[in-house]
Amino acid sequence: MKISTSGTTIDQQKKDAVILFFQGEKPLIDKTLSELITLCSELIKSSSFKGQSGQTAVFPLAGQIAAKRLILAGVGEAKYFDNGILEKAAGAAIRAGRDAGATTFAMPSGLPIDGMDDGLYRLLAGRGAVWGSYDFSTFKSDSRKTKPLSLTFAGKFTSKISITYATEQGAALLDTADLANLPGNEAPPEKIASWARIMAKQHGMTCQVLGKAELTKKGCGGILSVAQGSAQDARMVILRHKGTDPKARPIVLVGKTVTFDSGGISLKPGKGMGWMRYDKCGGMAVLAAMQMIARMNVKTPVVGILGAAENMPGSNATRPGDIIKAYNGKTIEVLNTDAEGRLVLADALGLAADLKPRAIVDLATLTGAVIVALGSAASAVLGNDETLVSDLIAAGNNAGERLWQLPLYKEYSDDMKSDFADISNICKSSSAGTATAAAFLQEFVPEDIPWAHIDIAGTAWLESAKPHQAPGATLFGARLLAQWIESLNA
Ligand code: BES
Ligand code: ZN
Ligand code: ZN
């Protein structure tokens, strides 16, 4: 999608459709455009549009303004408003308009909402519009080539950097979505690695890939134990964005990239198992964030590490009760082979720590328990550094990706003790599944490195269509990571 700007007001835009946001029945339109406001209220009278979050209405016009159609997009009541709602409303408007045949769109350049910065509004609305235009059609034989869409922000501008960011971030998201939505047979670890190599080259990053031999040599017993039941070998993928200061310590982003999680010998039930192709979404969010960071030329050096493996119950698979050794030398008793994400992350976090980073943030579809706790309304964040956790929560609020902190009490670490090894991969009490998983990860991060873990099991994909998105990967986490790392420049 091409995003551009225009100095003239929204009513002057000769487009297929003009998009206007509504907070309930209150139009979020500059007061000086009184005729447009009157037109909207007349159109709404004869419709069921209530301005609820996600609701849209498309009205064909007959010359009242320069555009052919008016699309109203609801962001719901003010008291429930957040930036994610706005971003999704923009996506929903584009999808509704596209379905009605529109290809050229305009939106106002600012939004009269208290506390909403115009630049941030354009980033959210622009990025949401790009995301709304996406469909995963790689395997649809009858997929029609849809016409490219365009979006113009109309009105006054102080700075246009937000337009560049929306364009670059949107492009990174769409590029990565085509990989993230691939099924297990089409996206084995080797494919993830070759995709990352090409992407890194295109965007001026370096990419190092550790295969089975190197992982064995380094003693990465965690990721190897997950992959050993599969015909597909593991890969550890390491992407580097240099930044501008060669002396600065890097931020390291780590992503669980389990290309398919059958559970291994601790096999999952059949119902819904197909969704476990999305168990790579931590890594997909890291890939998208790395591409965004490279496209925005952020100053901070950033390293992205993807632990890519397939969890299968082959004849060489890890058995419950097996004891393995992770990269940092700690031994792990694998009592449940379905708790495999933490084994992959144990090695990846150990490698991350070697880089003497400023901070480590890992993302993973790690536990079903986080869905019990938070559903899909937020991802859980846990960590060893309160400043890092609160910075991530703030970035999430700005970027429209909600995080909710869970505690990391010592009780959770105690619950992970093993009778036969340094640590077990499941907790004894079988309670607090998300926090005990994080307590396990903490064992692989040196105490003096600020570290946070984000559990995206409830937010990484949609199982049914929403107004702003078809079923599939959401790439949750990429937007907040880009927001956070870009803000470190300030
Ligand atoms: N990938 C799953 C977690 C998951 C479940 C993600 C549902 C998304 C939706 C993870 O590898 C897993 O199976 N975790 C187990 C851990 C348990 C065995 C301690 C879980 O959550 O049940
Ligand atoms: Zn699992
Ligand atoms: Zn998993």
Side-chain angles (χ1 to χ4, degrees):
M1 177 183 282
K2 172 113 188 62
I3 309 181
S4 59
T5 62
S6 160
T8 48
T9 51
I10 192 83
D11 51 325
Q12 310 290 317
Q13 302 296 318
K14 287 198 188 96
K15 306 288 180 199
D16 292 342
V18 152
I19 296 168
L20 298 171
F21 296 100
F22 273 69
Q23 206 159 41
E25 285 175 42
K26 182 179 152 208
L28 297 173
I29 306 171
D30 192 282
K31 281 200 189 70
T32 57
L33 299 169
S34 56
E35 284 174 30
L36 186 58
I37 295 174
T38 313
L39 170 63
C40 287
S41 62
E42 276 165 13
L43 291 170
I44 288 177
K45 261 185 223 150
S46 56
S47 84
S48 57
F49 182 77
K50 291 270 183 296
Q52 291 146 344
S53 166
Q55 193 184 21
T56 55
V58 183
F59 298 101
L61 297 179
Q64 298 97 319
I65 59 171
K68 287 188 208 151
R69 299 175 188 81
L70 202 50
I71 302 175
L72 308 189
V75 298
E77 285 176 63
K79 63 176 171 182
Y80 299 121
F81 181 81
D82 70 35
N83 290 356
I85 290 178
L86 174 64
E87 181 157 349
K88 291 182 182 103
I94 293 288
R95 288 185 92 73
R98 189 193 61 177
D99 293 348
T103 60
T104 59
F105 297 86
M107 283 181 194
S109 64
L111 208 61
I113 288 188
D114 280 349
M116 173 68 75
D117 169 78
D118 281 350
L120 181 56
Y121 151 73
R122 290 191 294 269
L123 170 62
L124 295 164
R127 190 173 63 193
V130 176
W131 187 249
S133 73
Y134 177 74
D135 280 303
F136 177 58
S137 55
T138 308
F139 297 102
K140 291 276 194 194
S141 321
D142 62 350
S143 84
R144 283 170 284 123
K145 266 270 161 270
T146 42
K147 271 206 206 157
L149 308 181
S150 71
L151 171 65
T152 303
F153 282 99
K156 283 194 213 111
F157 293 90
T158 44
S159 154
K160 291 183 183 168
I161 184 75
S162 55
I163 305 286
T164 310
Y165 282 2
T167 305
E168 298 300 332
Q169 293 190 16
L173 288 170
L174 297 205
D175 187 37
T176 315
D178 273 342
L179 180 69
N181 285 313
L182 288 179
N185 62 327
E186 291 283 341
E190 186 219 332
K191 166 81 179 262
I192 306 284
S194 61
W195 192 98
R197 260 208 195 98
I198 295 168
M199 188 276 280
K201 199 162 182 208
Q202 278 169 349
H203 299 286
M205 293 187 281
T206 61
C207 180
Q208 181 191 3
V209 177
L210 309 179
K212 190 176 178 181
E214 289 106 323
L215 291 168
T216 307
K217 210 164 135 200
K218 282 187 181 292
C220 291
I223 189 170
L224 289 169
S225 81
V226 173
Q228 73 188 42
S230 165
Q232 307 293 338
D233 283 344
R235 296 283 188 282
M236 194 74 82
V237 182
I238 305 165
L239 294 148
R240 282 190 177 81
H241 166 78
K242 256 174 111 178
T244 49
D245 181 0
K247 281 185 301 235
R249 292 196 296 164
I251 298 288
V252 185
L253 307 177
V254 172
K256 169 179 173 181
T257 316
V258 171
T259 60
F260 185 74
D261 180 12
S262 71
I265 296 298
S266 314
L267 195 65
K268 284 184 181 294
K271 191 168 173 276
M273 203 202 275
W275 292 110
M276 283 298 121
R277 66 184 181 280
Y278 289 108
D279 213 21
K280 60 182 177 305
C281 279
M284 297 301 102
V286 169
L287 276 182
M290 292 302 294
Q291 190 179 148
M292 288 176 173
I293 284 158
R295 283 171 174 266
M296 295 191 294
N297 298 315
V298 308
K299 290 183 189 153
T300 314
V302 187
V303 178
I305 303 182
L306 278 67
E310 186 182 46
N311 189 22
M312 295 290 266
S315 61
N316 193 41
T318 295
R319 294 149 285 252
D322 283 2
I323 295 176
I324 60 163
K325 192 187 271 191
Y327 175 71
N328 76 345
K330 288 200 184 177
T331 56
I332 305 167
E333 185 185 14
V334 181
L335 286 174
N336 188 320
T337 64
D338 197 13
E340 85 298 339
R342 58 195 79 184
L343 305 177
V344 170
L345 291 175
D347 289 340
L349 290 168
L351 292 168
D354 280 358
L355 303 171
K356 302 272 169 274
R358 182 168 161 189
I360 302 174
V361 179
D362 78 74
L363 280 91
T365 48
L366 204 63
T367 65
V370 78
I371 309 173
V372 178
L374 301 172
S376 60
S379 299
V381 60
L382 308 94
N384 64 6
D385 185 284
E386 286 306 310
T387 310
L388 175 61
V389 168
S390 57
D391 286 353
L392 289 169
I393 293 172
N397 289 339
N398 274 326
E401 294 182 327
R402 255 202 229 119
L403 299 182
W404 189 261
Q405 187 179 9
L406 295 180
L408 255 183
Y409 299 131
K410 182 167 176 301
E411 284 90 327
Y412 304 138
S413 304
D414 294 342
D415 205 8
M416 299 304 291
K417 293 218 164 99
S418 158
D419 294 333
F420 302 102
D422 295 335
I423 188 171
S424 154
N425 81 328
I426 55 168
C427 59
K428 281 212 165 77
S429 70
S430 67
S431 55
T434 303
T436 50
F440 175 94
L441 298 180
Q442 191 171 19
E443 298 292 323
F444 301 90
V445 184
E447 268 173 39
D448 58 348
I449 300 177
W451 156 77
H453 158 66
I454 302 177
D455 193 332
I456 58 170
T459 51
W461 70 89
L462 286 184
E463 297 191 3
S464 51
K466 289 271 175 78
H468 70 284
Q469 196 204 308
T474 62
L475 296 178
F476 184 103
R479 300 163 190 82
L480 84 86
L481 290 175
Q483 177 81 32
W484 171 58
I485 291 173
E486 200 269 336
S487 77
L488 296 175
N489 284 332

